[in-house]
């Protein structure tokens, strides 16, 4: 299986449990890996046969900024479900980093891997 990935996709959004987090946007960074077969796209040089990382990025940004959630866990589960449903991949790994969450840490975050149900 081949892999299409997006590294350090930056999105500013409202996210967090605490009241002060709901008052201003915070930066999130997404690393997304999607397993797929790139052979048809490679053989034809046809973007319509490719897993389009630009469209995936646009969808992640759109969803992340549309309706705030409190937990990174909620957000990554939602995004994994969207990517599996809307794009030609059978498995997605999403890692989201929230650098401002813990002052003593460079970043914190959540990583999940989800597969399409057979």
């Amino acid at each position: 299986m081949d892999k299409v990935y997006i590294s350090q996709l930056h999105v500013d959004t409202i996210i967090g449990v605490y009241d002060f987090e709901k008052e201003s946007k915070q930066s999130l960074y997404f690393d997304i890996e999607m397993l797929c077969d790139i052979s048809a796209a490679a053989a034809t040089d046809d973007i319509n046969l490719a897993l389009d990382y630009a469209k995936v990025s646009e969808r992640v940004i759109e969803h992340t900024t549309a309706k705030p959630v409190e937990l990174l866990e909620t957000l990554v589960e939602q995004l994994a479900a969207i990517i599996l449903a809307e794009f030609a991949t059978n498995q997605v790994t999403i890692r989201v980093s929230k650098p401002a969450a813990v002052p003593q840490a460079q970043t914190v975050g959540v990583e999940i891997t989800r597969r399409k149900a057979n």
Side-chain angles (χ1 to χ4, degrees):
M1 209 29 68
D2 305 309
K3 187 183 295 182
V4 172
Y5 69 92
I6 301 163
S7 182
Q8 294 294 290
L9 177 65
H10 178 234
V11 182
D12 286 326
T13 193
I14 301 290
I15 188 162
V17 174
Y18 303 107
D19 289 340
F20 72 88
E21 292 180 297
K22 297 173 184 176
E23 294 174 5
S24 60
K25 291 182 179 181
Q26 297 182 67
S27 290
L28 299 180
Y29 294 88
F30 294 91
D31 294 314
I32 303 167
E33 294 181 349
M34 299 160 286
L35 297 185
C36 61
D37 182 353
I38 68 164
S39 60
T44 61
D45 202 28
D46 185 350
I47 186 66
N48 295 308
L49 298 176
L51 201 168
D52 189 338
Y53 46 78
K55 289 183 179 178
V56 174
S57 297
E58 289 169 7
R59 188 68 174 97
V60 168
I61 293 166
E62 174 190 325
H63 182 79
T64 301
T65 58
K67 182 180 176 194
V69 295
E70 292 188 342
L71 299 177
L72 292 177
E73 292 84 348
T74 303
L75 180 59
V76 294
E77 286 286 356
Q78 291 173 350
L79 290 172
I82 288 167
I83 291 169
L84 290 170
E86 297 180 12
F87 297 95
T89 182
N90 290 321
Q91 179 177 310
V92 61
T93 298
I94 303 174
R95 178 185 184 113
V96 61
S97 300
K98 188 177 176 184
V102 176
Q104 298 85 351
Q106 182 177 3
T107 194
V108 298
V110 174
E111 180 176 320
I112 65 169
T113 299
R114 297 294 181 264
R115 293 171 186 81
K116 275 187 183 170
N118 291 333

